[in-house]
């Protein structure tokens, strides 16, 4: 039952709205389904990093060095604020099929959404604290018989992030959602930008 609780807890954490959700939402409605899906994959890669350092014990280094945690905390907050300001400056929304030679359609620009998702997740101190707390409990419960579960749980969480946010990208670019976005797209993009700035500001002031 303890393991089942961890599975449900992980699901609830992933689907709860946060900075990752706001970023996927913004990129999906502004740049299309592929941009949203790439952002989701970037978030999944970021989760893999969290899982890796949590399992191998680097988390203890961060936990016992306040200055290192502070650096990560402020870097993450600053990046969220940057994404929010960038979103506000480019909030104008026009839902249409991109031209063949447009900036959105260029393959060399697609990687930026992957990078945005990766750093948004990786530099979020709340995400780091989640993995520190959950995996410290899992590893302390491990008595040599559950090592595969600890690793499997990491894969489960990473996969859950990718699947959930890819689904968000799909829903936000559906025909029905397109009708709503054509009416309220610019306002929603502005709200998303303000949301990212708010997340960053709150994270920078939390101790």
């Amino acid at each position: 039952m303890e393991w089942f609780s961890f599975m449900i807890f992980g699901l609830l954490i992933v689907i709860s709205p946060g900075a990752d959700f706001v970023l996927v939402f913004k990129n999906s409605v502004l740049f299309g389904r592929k941009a949203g899906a790439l952002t989701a994959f970037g978030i999944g890669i970021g989760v893999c990093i969290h899982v890796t350092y949590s399992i191998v014990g680097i988390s203890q280094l961060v936990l016992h060095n306040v200055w290192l945690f502070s650096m990560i905390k402020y870097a993450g907050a600053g990046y969220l604020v940057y994404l929010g300001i960038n979103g506000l400056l480019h909030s104008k929304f026009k839902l249409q099929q991109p031209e063949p030679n447009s900036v959105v359609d260029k393959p060399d620009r697609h990687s930026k959404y992957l990078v945005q998702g990766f750093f948004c997740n990786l530099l979020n101190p709340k995400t780091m604290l989640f993995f520190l707390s959950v995996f410290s409990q899992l590893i302390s419960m491990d008595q040599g018989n559950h090592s595969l579960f600890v690793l499997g749980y990491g894969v489960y969480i990473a996969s859950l992030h990718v699947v959930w946010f890819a689904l968000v990208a799909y829903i936000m670019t559906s025909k029905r959602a397109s009708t709503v976005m054509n009416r309220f797209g610019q306002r929603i993009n502005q709200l998303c930008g303000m949301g990212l700035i708010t997340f960053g500001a709150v994270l920078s002031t939390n101790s």
Side-chain angles (χ1 to χ4, degrees), residues 1-13 149 152-153 156-157 160:
M1 184 61 69
E2 237 171 6
W3 304 117
F4 180 74
S5 299
F6 272 106
M7 302 293 279
I8 297 300
F9 177 65
L11 177 63
L12 293 176
I13 288 296
F149 177 82
Y153 188 76
Y156 164 75
I157 289 293
L160 206 57

Side-chain angles (χ1 to χ4, degrees), residues 147-199:
S147 297
L148 287 178
F149 177 82
V150 174
L151 180 60
Y153 188 76
V155 174
Y156 164 75
I157 289 293
S159 301
L160 206 57
H161 275 81
V162 174
V163 171
W164 167 247
F165 289 117
L167 181 61
V168 169
Y170 179 82
I171 292 174
M172 289 303 124
T173 52
S174 65
K175 288 184 178 179
R176 181 169 295 183
S178 298
T179 302
V180 176
M181 295 312 301
N182 275 320
R183 282 188 72 181
F184 306 106
Q186 184 169 356
R187 295 300 180 193
I188 291 175
N189 284 329
Q190 291 172 339
L191 287 174
C192 286
M194 293 179 65
L196 286 169
I197 293 173
T198 301
F199 279 122

Side-chain angles (χ1 to χ4, degrees), residues 20 23-24 26-45 79 83 86 98 102-121:
D20 290 340
L23 182 61
V24 172
K26 180 184 76 71
N27 283 350
S28 297
V29 299
L30 190 59
F31 301 109
R33 184 172 296 172
K34 185 172 183 178
L38 286 170
T39 306
F41 278 107
I43 291 170
I45 296 172
Y79 187 69
L83 289 177
N86 189 61
S102 68
V103 172
V104 176
D105 198 47
K106 290 182 179 179
D108 60 341
R109 296 300 296 269
H110 290 161
S111 61
K112 75 174 183 179
Y113 307 117
L114 188 77
V115 172
Q116 284 182 0
F118 173 72
F119 281 111
C120 182
N121 182 271

Side-chain angles (χ1 to χ4, degrees), residues 117-128:
F118 173 72
F119 281 111
C120 182
N121 182 271
L122 183 67
L123 297 178
N124 189 335
K126 284 192 173 181
T127 303
M128 182 178 67

